Amino acid sequence: MSDIEEAITHAHHEEWARVVAALARRFGDLDVAEEAAAEAFATAVERWPADGVPPNPGAWLTTTATRKAIDRIRRENKRDDKHQEAQVIHDDDPPEPLGAIDDDRLRLIFTCCHPALAMDSRLALTLRMVGGLTMPEIARAFLVAESAMGQRITRAKAKIKAARIPYRVPSAEDLPARVSGVLAVLFLVFNEGYLATGPDTDPVRHELTAEAIRLTRLIRGLLPADGEVAGLLALMLLTEARRTARVSAGGELVTLDEQDRGAWDPALIAEGHGLVRERLAAGVAPGRYQILAAINAVHTSARDIRDTDWSQVVALYDQLVRVDPSPVVALNRAIAVAELDGPDVALAAVDRLEDKLAGYHAFHATRADLLRRLGRSSQSRAAYDQAIELAGNTAETAALTRRRDRLG
């Protein structure tokens, strides 16, 4: 990749949400915001190779996108009030702060996560508008066809426009009812950064994990006593602490048991552990994110994989299953059970999930590893083949291929 192409890719990762949010604030229309932002990036692809990368790419993209949006409004000529159109087009005064925190992207998230929208539409729309994920990436996250996901996002944007859903952070009394959908979205954005689903992307997308953490910190400022907000932030920090150890120099994904724990970020671990202890001291029954954070706290407390308190991990997964009885949680619990009770017990639990997880690469990768540990090499190889076929990320595919090829 040339320096210019790399700069454009970097700008898209770093600036997409800022540009879309700025245009959504100014024009109050997500369609206009998204299409103008896309046109601005297309213009960058045309002009930056000849003109060079501007000193401030974000400002250049926002200015270009604003002009594109104005051109579109003029072309479509849909507004009845010409005076209002002229005011929108020519008003360069900074907007008044809206809501408790003056952050465009946070307001955009709350707009996309309005309760008038179905939860799956909230998630998909926010991943597109704020996370900047492509339609194929979002479709893979929801295990649906790309065309169906495109229609879902189009309908969600149309409903926001028709219902005149406001572009703002909700008032204090409305926040608790709105925050669960926002946390779910931020968790998905973080997960896409933690392990990108696309085959042609970096395996770890730091710009997504960093943005998810930044926005979660803002929400914690709004709701400091909310246990699930604190739990999600702790979970993100403890996961992000391991980022630099998760991909090898050769581009392979490195599993937890093989990671160099000396490369983990001690400051992020300390902050995450502090949040977990804070929630334990609160004496309130934990929710999903708090339990996941506690599981990660156990893992990041062990100096070596052999020092892991697997009985505590399994006990926490038992709690999590009661809160979130999903097959993926059951699969992760089985992985911990393998360390406590042996791979044969775990394999029996994993096999019971086949009807629900047959299309999920991690199901087959887990089976492959358990079969390997039981000495059933041919069956393990077949399971690895299925996992490799289903895995989307190149780094993960490389790691699975290496493990398969090491089988006797």
Side-chain angles (χ1 to χ4, degrees):
M1 182 179 290
S2 71
D3 291 345
I4 297 294
E5 290 173 323
E6 188 172 343
I8 292 170
T9 300
H10 179 76
H12 189 273
H13 287 167
E14 294 291 332
E15 305 294 345
W16 171 265
R18 291 186 181 94
V19 174
V20 171
L23 269 63
R25 178 193 66 208
R26 176 160 180 178
F27 298 103
D29 188 309
L30 293 184
D31 262 332
V32 169
E34 181 183 12
E35 291 186 19
E39 288 181 22
F41 280 98
T43 303
V45 171
E46 293 175 2
R47 290 179 49 182
W48 289 9
D51 300 344
V53 179
N56 188 334
W60 187 97
L61 289 162
T62 301
T63 300
T64 303
T66 300
R67 290 171 182 156
K68 298 288 185 184
I70 290 170
D71 289 344
R72 172 177 166 167
I73 291 171
R74 284 173 170 156
R75 283 196 310 270
E76 293 182 353
N77 197 21
K78 287 183 176 179
R79 295 181 185 271
D80 294 328
D81 187 344
K82 299 300 180 185
H83 178 71
Q84 182 183 2
E85 178 185 354
Q87 188 176 26
V88 167
I89 290 174
H90 298 293
D91 181 13
D92 290 323
D93 293 336
E96 292 296 321
L98 303 174
I101 291 181
D102 185 23
D103 184 278
D104 279 345
R105 285 164 289 177
L106 190 62
R107 289 201 293 269
L108 183 57
I109 281 185
F110 275 105
T111 301
C112 295
C113 291
H114 194 277
L117 303 176
M119 180 59 79
D120 57 356
S121 295
R122 295 183 220 173
L123 297 176
L125 182 61
T126 313
L127 289 173
R128 175 68 193 133
M129 304 302 291
V130 182
L133 272 64
T134 65
M135 211 65 75
E137 288 171 339
I138 301 170
R140 281 194 294 269
F142 284 83
L143 303 178
V144 299
E146 185 179 337
S147 58
M149 183 53 63
Q151 292 170 1
R152 186 180 300 178
I153 290 175
T154 298
R155 287 194 298 268
K157 288 190 291 186
K159 187 164 188 176
I160 285 174
K161 189 173 184 178
R164 299 182 180 275
I165 290 173
Y167 177 72
R168 63 176 177 83
V169 174
S171 58
E173 57 268 23
D174 293 334
L175 269 173
R178 297 277 296 277
V179 77
S180 61
V182 173
L183 295 183
V185 165
L186 290 174
F187 188 41
L188 282 177
V189 172
F190 183 87
N191 281 342
E192 179 63 26
Y194 169 75
L195 182 61
T197 56
D200 300 318
T201 59
D202 291 336
V204 178
R205 296 178 59 181
H206 177 54
E207 81 283 353
L208 289 182
T209 58
E211 180 67 355
I213 290 171
R214 187 189 75 83
L215 292 168
T216 306
R217 288 191 189 279
L218 289 180
I219 295 173
R220 179 157 164 78
L222 292 170
L223 296 168
D226 189 297
E228 282 295 81
V229 175
L232 180 59
L233 179 57
L235 172 60
M236 289 178 175
L237 294 173
L238 293 172
T239 306
E240 181 73 359
R242 305 196 302 267
R243 175 171 56 87
T244 56
R246 293 189 58 248
V247 180
S248 71
E252 287 186 17
L253 195 70
V254 182
T255 56
L256 182 64
D257 59 309
E258 297 176 323
Q259 286 176 19
D260 175 9
R261 299 186 176 218
W264 292 356
D265 188 320
L268 292 180
I269 290 174
E271 185 180 358
H273 285 184
L275 287 168
V276 171
R277 287 193 297 270
E278 174 190 311
R279 294 313 309 162
L280 288 172
V284 179
R288 177 182 179 225
Y289 299 123
Q290 293 168 79
I291 299 171
L292 285 169
I295 291 169
N296 275 266
V298 175
H299 285 304
T300 50
S301 296
R303 294 185 177 182
D304 187 276
I305 188 69
R306 293 167 294 187
D307 300 328
T308 304
D309 187 344
W310 290 107
S311 61
Q312 188 176 2
V313 172
V314 171
L316 286 166
Y317 270 116
D318 289 341
Q319 277 189 275
L320 184 59
V321 166
R322 290 192 288 272
V323 174
D324 179 13
S326 71
V328 172
V329 170
L331 178 67
N332 288 330
R333 180 187 180 278
I335 294 170
V337 166
E339 303 301 328
L340 192 64
D341 298 327
D344 52 340
V345 177
L347 182 61
V350 169
D351 283 344
R352 288 194 290 270
L353 301 171
E354 184 171 10
D355 60 330
K356 297 175 182 176
L357 296 178
Y360 183 42
H361 76 278
F363 166 77
H364 298 285
T366 300
R367 284 195 78 249
D369 185 61
L370 294 172
L371 290 164
R372 176 192 61 79
R373 291 166 64 178
L374 290 168
R376 294 157 64 177
S377 296
S378 60
Q379 291 174 287
S380 177
R381 181 179 296 277
Y384 273 126
D385 286 340
Q386 287 181 286
I388 291 165
E389 183 179 346
L390 292 168
N393 186 281
T394 306
E396 192 165 22
T397 300
L400 290 168
T401 302
R402 176 174 58 84
R403 285 180 223 152
R404 180 199 62 188
D405 293 346
R406 284 193 313 193
L407 290 169

